[in-house]
């Protein structure tokens, strides 16, 4: 007999305890899952379930936070790129050949930048898919914690968090764009890039120039720290093209826009996208259109695509199709990038043969 004449039924006590355990499990499962993910990665991000960057509700990420970490990752990766170049310890290797037979190089700058960028993003956002150009060595992990700081310029432009399901996100990292030019000590072409696609659509783009300490970022339907130039030459455009993976691009450009057209050969897809924008860097050439006709990888182009899209521009295949940033890592259809121009009219102008020969 219990005090005051109340009899406790053993079954009732058991049901009550089970219910209590259920509530506790619900409250802490997301939290523990996050902790476990970090434990597997070998570290702790330090935030509780309600802290910024947390995915305790089992799967949303805030794009504004992801942008802050992407900018930090591009800058931190850039520090590695710069340090390796300045110490002249590139340790250059050949990692294969492109379809066209050009040698693909890799240096310590690529590897060390990749390590910083990948682990910074992975530690802050363990649940999102990250695709990166270089191999991630699981035996050489580095846990770099994000301090949860969102820079002032991002807070000013993007005033509210923007949650999306974690499984809809694909992050693309290029830890060193223009590796060929990096090995030739042509520093102005070099960038580090992060892109975030949501359901395959490019939404966040970050392009950082480590040797100029310049970073451009943008969120589609969000904000940016860079803008388009005030004028572009549509009639006789300056066309920026690859200097080391050019294929037939010069013939295509001259055939489309006439012999008076200025062709600017340059390294790096990031550099070439920045040439279309209003970038306050004296080492940055300016162009009106970017054309690429050979195969190219999505980590090379996604950030530029997001930036252009956020500012009202376009990056499509040569036949004007949008590029989807999920699934395979290659883009077969060539590239046409423009801003404040009639993009569809440019597509129509390009020779039919070129549009179909890269599919
Ligand atoms: N045909 C091709 N096959 C594979 N990668 C290519 C390519 N053409 C260009 N790229 C890559 O796209 C980026 C920009 O190229 P480019 O400077 O020629 O315009 C470079 O990236 P990385 O330097 O990150 O490897 C380059 O390797
Ligand atoms: Mg690269």
């Amino acid at each position: 007999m219990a005090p005051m004449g109340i009899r406790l039924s053993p079954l009732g006590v058991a049901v009550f305890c089970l219910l209590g355990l259920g509530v506790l499990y619900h409250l802490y499962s997301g939290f523990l899952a996050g902790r476990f993910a970090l434990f597997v990665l070998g570290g702790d991000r330090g935030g509780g379930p309600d802290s910024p960057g947390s995915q305790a509700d089992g799967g949303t990420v805030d794009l504004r936070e992801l942008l802050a970490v992407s900018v930090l990752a591009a800058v931190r990766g850039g520090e590695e790129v710069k340090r390796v170049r300045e110490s002249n310890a590139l340790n250059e290797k050949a990692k294969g050949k492109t379809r066209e037979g050009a040698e693909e190089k890799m240096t310590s700058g690529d590897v060390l930048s990749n390590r910083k960028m990948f682990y910074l993003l992975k530690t802050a956002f363990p649940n999102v898919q990250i695709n990166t150009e270089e191999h991630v060595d699981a035996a050489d992990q580095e846990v770099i914690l994000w301090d949860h700081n969102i820079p002032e310029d991002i807070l000013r432009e993007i005033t509210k968090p923007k949650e999306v399901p974690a499984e809809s996100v694909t992050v693309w990292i290029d830890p060193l764009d223009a590796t060929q030019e990096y090995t030739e000590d042509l520093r102005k072409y070099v960038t580090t890039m992060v892109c975030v696609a949501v359901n395959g659509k490019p939404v966040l783009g970050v392009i950082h120039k480590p040797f100029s300490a310049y970073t451009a970022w943008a969120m589609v339907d969000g904000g940016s720290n860079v803008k388009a130039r005030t004028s572009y030459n549509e009639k006789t455009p300056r066309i920026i093209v690859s200097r080391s993976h050019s294929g037939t691009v010069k013939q295509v450009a001259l055939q489309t826009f006439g012999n008076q057209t200025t062709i600017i050969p340059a390294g790096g897809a990031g550099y070439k996208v920045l040439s279309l924008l209003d970038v306050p860097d004296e080492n940055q050439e300016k162009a009106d259109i970017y054309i690429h006709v050979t195969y190219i990888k999505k980590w090379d182009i996604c950030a530029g695509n997001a930036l252009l899209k956020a500012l009202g521009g376009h990056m499509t295949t040569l036949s004007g199709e949008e590029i989807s940033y999920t699934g395979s890592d290659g883009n077969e259809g060539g590239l046409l990038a423009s801003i404040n121009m009639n993009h569809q009219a440019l597509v129509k102008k390009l020779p039919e043969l070129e549009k179909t020969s890269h599919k």
Side-chain angles (χ1 to χ4, degrees):
M1 180 74 82
M4 301 181 64
I6 299 167
R7 242 182 113 210
L8 292 174
S9 131
L11 186 65
V13 171
V15 169
F16 185 78
C17 289
L18 275 174
L19 275 173
L21 279 174
V23 169
L24 278 174
Y25 175 76
H26 179 75
L27 283 174
Y28 282 95
S29 58
F31 175 68
L32 291 176
R35 294 276 151 165
F36 180 69
L38 277 165
F39 174 69
V40 169
L41 274 169
D44 189 333
R45 134 183 114 224
D50 298 315
S51 65
S54 145
Q55 297 161 51
D57 53 353
T60 65
V61 290
D62 172 13
L63 289 178
R64 187 171 65 166
E65 291 180 351
L66 193 43
L67 175 61
V69 181
S70 299
V71 168
L72 184 64
V75 170
R76 287 286 182 81
E79 285 166 9
E80 299 296 304
V81 166
K82 194 165 177 239
R83 189 171 55 77
V84 168
R85 183 62 263 182
E86 284 171 354
S87 63
N88 254 335
L90 265 62
N91 198 13
E92 186 181 324
K93 291 192 181 90
K95 68 173 177 183
K97 286 206 182 327
T98 66
R99 288 180 182 178
E100 297 79 21
E103 194 166 80
E104 286 195 279
K105 290 179 180 162
M106 191 181 65
T107 68
S108 295
D110 298 74
V111 174
L112 296 173
S113 171
N114 190 55
R115 182 163 170 255
K116 279 267 185 277
M117 293 177 74
F118 178 82
Y119 282 116
L120 223 165
L121 282 152
K122 195 67 193 167
T123 309
F125 296 94
N127 300 343
V128 305
Q129 168 72 33
I130 303 181
N131 296 340
T132 174
E133 175 168 6
E134 305 304 337
H135 174 71
V136 181
D137 186 354
D140 189 25
Q141 285 184 19
E142 180 171 4
V143 174
I144 318 166
L145 300 182
W146 175 44
D147 62 4
H148 292 164
N149 177 47
I150 301 181
E152 270 304 312
D153 59 343
I154 294 182
L155 289 174
R156 213 170 29 240
E157 288 290 316
I158 306 166
T159 52
K160 284 190 302 231
K162 200 167 188 178
E163 302 278 337
V164 293
E167 70 265 17
S168 67
V169 171
T170 314
V171 178
W172 296 88
I173 297 178
D174 190 341
L176 202 170
D177 183 41
T179 300
Q180 173 61 41
E181 287 70 24
Y182 183 67
T183 65
E184 294 177 46
D185 208 9
L186 299 171
R187 302 182 184 196
K188 71 176 181 184
Y189 295 129
V190 173
T191 62
T192 58
M193 298 193 276
V194 182
C195 178
V196 174
V198 178
N199 295 320
K201 294 197 168 67
V203 169
L204 300 180
V206 178
I207 304 181
H208 173 68
K209 295 180 101 176
F211 298 101
S212 311
Y214 172 76
T215 311
W217 60 258
M219 179 195 283
V220 174
D221 297 328
S224 69
N225 72 342
V226 58
K227 52 187 186 339
R229 296 202 308 272
T230 45
S231 69
Y232 292 87
N233 190 339
E234 213 158 343
K235 267 213 173 120
T236 47
R238 288 163 293 176
I239 300 174
I240 197 156
V241 303
S242 169
R243 66 182 280 284
S244 49
H245 304 86
S246 56
T248 56
V249 72
K250 286 179 194 160
Q251 294 93 297
V252 173
L254 294 177
Q255 201 181 332
T256 311
F257 299 98
N259 286 339
Q260 296 309 309
T261 311
T262 309
I263 308 241
I264 306 171
Y271 178 88
K272 288 194 270 291
V273 167
L274 292 179
S275 78
L276 305 180
L277 303 176
D278 187 8
V279 168
D281 176 10
E282 56 183 25
N283 290 322
Q284 178 69 57
E285 290 153 290
K286 297 199 183 315
D288 300 302
I289 301 173
Y290 168 24
I291 304 181
H292 191 84
V293 302
T294 65
Y295 179 74
I296 195 159
K297 298 290 185 67
K298 289 177 184 169
W299 39 71
D300 293 311
I301 58 175
C302 183
N305 195 340
L307 267 158
L308 285 169
K309 193 171 172 192
L311 303 177
H314 301 272
M315 180 184 278
T316 63
T317 64
L318 295 171
S319 47
E321 288 154 5
E322 298 294 333
I323 300 159
S324 171
Y325 294 94
T326 50
S328 82
D329 60 16
N331 173 54
E332 305 273 352
L335 276 190
L336 176 67
S338 74
I339 185 161
N340 286 358
M341 283 199 190
N342 185 340
H343 193 83
Q344 279 314 312
L346 294 175
V347 170
K348 283 211 185 96
K349 265 189 156 180
L350 283 166
E352 238 7 87
L353 184 65
E354 278 307 318
K355 292 182 209 172
T356 48
S357 64
H358 300 287
K359 296 212 160 171

